[in-house]
Amino acid sequence: MHVLIGADGELSLEEVDNLKGFSIVETTRGTAAAALSEIGEPAEENHYWLSAPAIVALSSRKDDQEWVEAFWAMLQKVEAYGFSDMANKRVKAHIE
C-alpha cells in the first residue's frame, strides 16, 4: 500500500489490499512536504508521520469495515517497530 502524490499534489491511496507494506510515492520529486502538510509531518531521514484516519479516508475501501479493521490491525502489529503510534493514530512511512 502506498500514498501516491500526483504531479498536481493530489493524494491517493494505491494498492489498498497490500497490508504488508506502506510507503509514500512521489510522481514529482520534492512535492511531499507541501502535499502531505494537511495529513502529516516530517520525521527523520525521508520519513513522514501520517494521520491514520486520513489514510483510511483516502482508501477506496474506507466503507468496508473488514478492510478498516485489517488496516488498524496492521498498525498495531508494526507499533513495536516504531512504524505506528496508536495513541496518536498515526503511521510512519518512507518516501520511495
Side-chain angles (χ1 to χ4, degrees), residues 69-89:
E69 289 173 7
F71 175 78
W72 286 104
M74 175 188 75
L75 296 189
Q76 286 179 324
K77 288 178 186 175
V78 301
E79 186 171 31
Y81 305 101
F83 289 104
S84 71
D85 174 358
M86 297 302 288
N88 293 301
K89 296 183 179 171

Side-chain angles (χ1 to χ4, degrees), residues 3-12 24-40 42 46 48 50 95-96:
V3 174
L4 178 66
I5 303 171
D8 59 358
E10 191 72 25
L11 301 177
S12 61
I24 301 164
V25 175
E26 293 176 298
T27 56
T28 305
R29 294 296 259 170
T31 59
L36 298 174
S37 66
E38 296 288 319
I39 67 165
N46 220 27
Y48 276 80
L50 303 176
I95 300 176
E96 291 186 7

